Amino acid sequence: MSITTRRTVLRSTVVAAATALCASISTFPAQALDAQWCKDVHIRFFVGGAEGDAFGTIVYNGAKQAAADLGPKVDYIFSQWDVEKMVQQLREAVAVKPQGIAMMGHPGDAAIMPLAEQAHKDGIKMMYQNVPVPKVTAAFGGGYVGAQQEQQGRALGAEAFKLGKLKAGDKAIMIGPFENENRGARERGTVAALKEAGVEVIQLSSPPSGEWASDPNLAIPVITAALLNHPDVKAVGYPGGQMLGNVATYMQAAGRKPGDIFNFGFDTSPQIVEGFKGGWVQLTADQQPFLQGYLPILSLCQQVVLGLAPMNVDTGAGFVTPQNYEIVSELAKQALR
């Protein structure tokens, strides 16, 4: 075959492929404009916590709204923040072979990797929320909706140092799942920022099973003992909205009054709003869990129906303080923020 002939064949092939692609894509906008345009798609969505969980409820409400708007069939999976349970549930989800799975990244890259590989082989689209799994997405694709853990943790540590008027040599307590490679990056980031500012940080490891998130009262003895053993602590950081919303209970159990300690952490909820109102909570990092529910389902629908690339969205928007908490209070009370 001559070079000229080859060029002609190649050009004809490219034009034919482009024409076919354009014909296919041309049907997408009309379909996207129809109500319930994702109605034929089956998705499994991981909420993270138990039903009624403060943070998980907001994620769930976002996912439910996306399902109502777009029309997919969604199975909601509750895990009590137990990473081992999440892995088993993901294994079951892949076996069912839905068209899409939105997975909490708490188990980490190593645990999720083989299941993500199987999902990829089976043509299942994947999204991850709340905790990123960069090695998994690099290997087998998928998007991420949530805060960037280490960055948000460091930012919170720097903000706590500033707003808490801490100084070098002060003591602070930070609670978190420090041993979890992916999930613990946020709290390790907070610790690093405080230590770099000269603060002495006492680390309290939360159970890997997530039981403190499921029932924050279980942490009362540990936090009370830490405060009694370190009476000069100036600040305490919490790893999630469930515990931050329980600050009044922790402080009262340790004999502390509102404002005695600078309490800070992550998320918003009706309980955290009450904590701000009562003077118990001084700072929280907002990671907009409603978006962590809504956007993964939207992205899976777009991937399956429209052939679009997965979304990657940083929802770590900023901080809530005693000066601005009233702006989000009503939405927080409705479990939307």
Side-chain angles (χ1 to χ4, degrees), residues 20-321:
L21 180 61
C22 288
S24 174
I25 291 176
S26 68
T27 65
F28 288 165
Q31 187 177 20
L33 290 173
D34 293 340
Q36 306 287 285
W37 56 271
C38 191
K39 66 180 184 301
D40 296 325
V41 175
H42 179 204
I43 293 170
R44 284 215 163 182
F45 183 91
F46 281 72
V47 178
E51 294 187 61
D53 172 86
F55 183 87
T57 296
I58 306 174
V59 175
Y60 177 65
N61 286 341
K64 290 281 285 185
Q65 187 62 57
D69 290 347
L70 308 174
K73 176 190 174 185
V74 182
D75 304 325
Y76 299 98
I77 310 299
F78 297 89
S79 311
Q80 290 76 45
W81 303 114
D82 185 330
V83 294
E84 292 183 2
K85 187 172 185 177
M86 286 184 189
V87 172
Q88 178 57 35
Q89 290 171 328
L90 178 58
R91 185 175 293 111
E92 294 167 359
V94 172
V96 171
K97 296 185 179 179
Q99 285 142 299
I101 298 174
M103 173 65 182
M104 288 280 172
H106 295 66
D109 284 295
I112 292 176
M113 188 72 76
L115 297 173
E117 181 178 12
Q118 185 60 52
H120 180 73
K121 289 178 180 177
D122 292 341
I124 301 170
K125 303 299 183 183
M126 296 293 298
M127 285 292 295
Y128 301 92
Q129 59 265 11
N130 196 245
V131 176
V133 280
K135 294 178 183 177
V136 168
T137 53
F140 300 110
Y144 173 66
V145 178
Q148 294 299 319
Q149 297 285 291
E150 184 180 6
Q151 293 175 18
Q152 189 184 42
R154 277 186 165 274
L156 179 65
E159 195 74 3
F161 182 82
K162 181 177 71 174
L163 297 186
K165 299 180 180 178
L166 303 178
K167 59 183 184 298
D170 284 344
K171 286 185 180 180
I173 291 172
M174 188 66 206
I175 306 163
F178 299 106
E179 303 305 317
N180 185 311
E181 179 185 2
N182 292 65
R183 170 61 186 84
R186 188 173 69 180
E187 286 72 19
R188 292 195 301 270
T190 302
V191 170
L194 289 172
K195 284 185 174 181
E196 288 167 10
V199 176
E200 179 184 340
V201 183
I202 300 143
Q203 295 181 217
L204 300 182
S205 293
S206 54
S209 61
E211 60 191 50
W212 285 3
S214 296
D215 185 356
N217 286 330
L218 295 176
I220 292 173
V222 176
I223 295 174
T224 301
L227 290 173
L228 291 176
N229 290 333
H230 303 279
D232 53 346
V233 160
K234 298 291 180 66
V236 178
Y238 302 84
Q242 302 90 342
M243 294 185 71
L244 186 62
N246 208 40
V247 159
T249 300
Y250 302 141
M251 295 298 105
Q252 289 168 346
R256 300 303 181 94
K257 297 177 181 178
D260 285 352
I261 288 178
F262 186 90
N263 289 294
F264 66 98
F266 301 89
D267 310 329
T268 56
S269 70
Q271 295 81 9
I272 292 172
V273 167
E274 290 302 312
F276 275 115
K277 188 180 296 185
W280 298 104
V281 176
Q282 282 71 42
L283 172 67
T284 188
D286 181 15
Q287 55 177 328
Q288 303 184 93
F290 186 89
L291 293 181
Q292 295 179 21
Y294 196 102
L295 294 181
I297 289 181
L298 173 60
S299 182
L300 287 171
C301 284
Q302 290 177 334
Q303 290 177 63
V304 173
V305 179
L306 306 180
L308 298 183
M311 287 184 181
N312 285 282
V313 180
D314 185 348
T315 65
F319 300 108
V320 180
T321 69

